[in-house]
Amino acid sequence: MKSVLVEDAVGMILCHDLTKIVPGEFKGVAFKKGHIITEEDVSQLLDMGKRSIYVWEMQEGILHENEAGERMARAAAGKEITFTDPSEGKVNLLAKCNGLLKVKYTALEKINTIEEAMIATLHTDILVKKDSVVAGTRVIPLVIDKVKIEQVEKVCEQEGPIIWVQPLKAMKVGLITTGSEVYTGRITDKFGPVVRNKITEIGSEVIKQIFVSDSVDMIKDAVNELLEIGVEMIIVTGGMSVDPDDVTPAGIRESGANIISYGAPVLPGAMFLIAYKNDIPVLGLPGCVMYSKRTIFDLILPRIVAGERIKKEDITRLGHGGMCLNCEVCTFPACSFGKW
């Protein structure tokens, strides 16, 4: 760093905070470390009694933290992402819409191995709201070698967008409620309202509910009836255990659906089933979805509504982080549940 006259400092980078004191009115930082001096600043600096200030000596190939942070944000941002102006070297990335946050975490790891540069994000596959902060970039020192930022940009160029938001579709959902006790009217359906609420909360709609007894043929026929009216997702509740009279998996299989996974390394939700018929997802929900606040349904539903096709490996990967602690005050998704 070097000391220069205030009048000669325009365009240069301040090395340290400068405090302004107005007796009885104000005491605080007037100019922060890293601030780039402008013509308008000169008069105020002189009024503060600053005839000279310490600034960084910028060199060819060296970037200020603000420019570096903005370049990283621009390189990493994918669709439905915007970002703020730099503030003390930090740039926040924001969601432009409600949706499912996606992070290419393998590329993120490559970026964060580059010395003096960093990008931090929320966890991939969580729901985010419009204008919420989903990531941040900055460099560690006040200035950084341009080559390092170019390395970040190269990773982003080669790997595609690093951070993006997948908008949610408004899906037409069909609901099949199994169980002779509900089908015959002996008890009131308590499962359907829970599912409807979750579907509504995510911006979709249950367009038809069919009640069936514990019958493979009835479940099969209900699946095909819903497909005929154009539903985009089918949810079957109940009958998911290994008891002999729990026939939901058999009914889904008999409908011609291809079962991707029956069983999941998630608690609550171990008896979850997911299948596809004609590209339409068919979900078998275990009883825990009815009485537990958060289950595997809350992890998988957003991904389906965001347009993803769930694969077997998506389910098995959930084991790491798949234990819900059933906290007295639920903070999901700001917790460990579903974070692998």
Side-chain angles (χ1 to χ4, degrees):
M1 62 183 179
K2 63 180 179 180
S3 177
V4 299
L5 294 175
V6 167
E7 295 87 346
D8 298 331
V10 174
M12 298 182 181
I13 302 169
L14 190 62
C15 281
H16 54 90
D17 291 349
L18 291 179
T19 300
K20 179 179 179 179
I21 301 175
V22 179
E25 295 182 19
F26 176 82
K27 179 180 179 181
V29 177
F31 297 96
K32 289 184 173 293
K33 173 185 175 181
H35 176 71
I36 300 175
I37 306 299
T38 67
E39 291 281 2
E40 293 74 20
D41 297 333
V42 172
S43 177
Q44 185 177 349
L45 287 165
L46 292 172
D47 290 344
M48 291 168 56
K50 302 296 182 182
R51 297 297 305 162
S52 61
I53 55 175
Y54 282 95
V55 295
W56 288 101
E57 296 184 81
M58 292 300 293
Q59 303 172 8
E60 184 69 27
I62 299 297
L63 298 179
H64 181 260
E65 61 178 350
N66 285 349
E67 181 182 355
E70 186 170 1
R71 282 179 58 166
M72 287 195 296
R74 191 179 305 278
K79 68 179 181 179
E80 302 299 340
I81 294 287
T82 186
F83 47 88
T84 63
D85 291 331
S87 175
E88 299 180 25
K90 185 175 74 172
V91 177
N92 286 330
L93 282 74
L94 312 175
K96 292 173 66 175
C97 66
N98 295 343
L100 187 72
L101 178 65
K102 303 297 292 185
V103 179
K104 189 169 288 186
Y105 51 89
T106 53
L108 183 67
E109 290 176 4
K110 291 180 182 179
I111 290 170
N112 286 325
T113 62
I114 298 170
E115 291 292 332
E116 300 182 334
M118 60 78 62
I119 301 178
T121 76
L122 298 183
H123 201 280
T124 191
D125 292 328
I126 66 169
L127 289 173
V128 294
K129 294 186 178 297
K130 180 181 178 181
D131 297 327
S132 62
V133 177
V134 298
T137 72
R138 72 168 305 157
V139 296
I140 309 307
L142 185 61
V143 293
I144 189 171
D145 190 328
K146 182 174 69 173
V147 170
K148 294 179 179 179
I149 301 306
E150 290 172 343
Q151 290 174 347
V152 173
E153 292 169 330
K154 185 176 181 181
V155 171
C156 294
E157 180 182 356
Q158 292 176 338
E159 302 269 352
I162 308 303
I163 306 158
W164 70 99
V165 174
Q166 193 69 34
L168 304 180
K169 299 166 58 180
M171 299 184 74
K172 295 182 292 184
V173 180
L175 178 59
I176 301 171
T177 302
T178 71
S180 60
E181 69 280 18
V182 178
Y183 179 69
T184 59
R186 293 185 64 86
I187 67 170
T188 302
D189 172 34
K190 298 291 182 64
F191 212 146
V194 173
V195 174
R196 284 179 179 272
N197 287 339
K198 288 184 181 289
I199 294 297
T200 300
E201 285 174 359
I202 208 165
S204 293
E205 179 186 7
V206 175
I207 64 170
K208 185 169 185 177
Q209 182 176 12
I210 301 175
F211 293 90
V212 300
S213 188
D214 299 300
S215 162
V216 171
D217 286 339
M218 291 182 75
I219 295 169
K220 174 191 70 175
D221 293 343
V223 169
N224 290 320
E225 179 182 340
L226 291 173
L227 290 173
E228 287 175 3
I229 66 171
V231 301
E232 298 164 286
M233 174 168 39
I234 295 173
I235 296 174
V236 189
T237 68
M240 292 301 303
S241 78
V242 294
D243 294 343
D245 58 349
D246 283 341
V247 295
T248 295
I252 292 173
R253 185 180 291 107
E254 284 298 311
S255 74
N258 177 37
I259 294 180
I260 303 302
S261 178
Y262 175 30
V266 177
L267 293 172
M271 304 305 292
F272 174 78
L273 179 149
I274 183 164
Y276 282 87
K277 181 172 182 182
N278 301 331
D279 295 324
I280 302 300
V282 181
L283 280 61
L285 300 187
C288 61
V289 175
M290 179 169 54
Y291 55 80
S292 294
K293 187 172 181 62
R294 298 297 177 187
T295 69
I296 189 172
F297 188 42
D298 299 283
L299 305 181
I300 295 299
L301 179 62
R303 299 178 65 172
I304 293 175
V305 176
E308 291 189 24
R309 187 181 179 99
I310 305 301
K311 302 181 290 295
K312 176 69 173 180
E313 53 263 36
D314 296 323
I315 301 297
T316 56
R317 189 180 291 127
L318 291 175
H320 184 205
M323 171 70 77
C324 177
L325 296 177
N326 297 307
C327 302
E328 186 173 342
V329 177
C330 179
T331 60
F332 180 84
C335 67
S336 64
F337 185 48
K339 310 300 190 299
W340 36 271

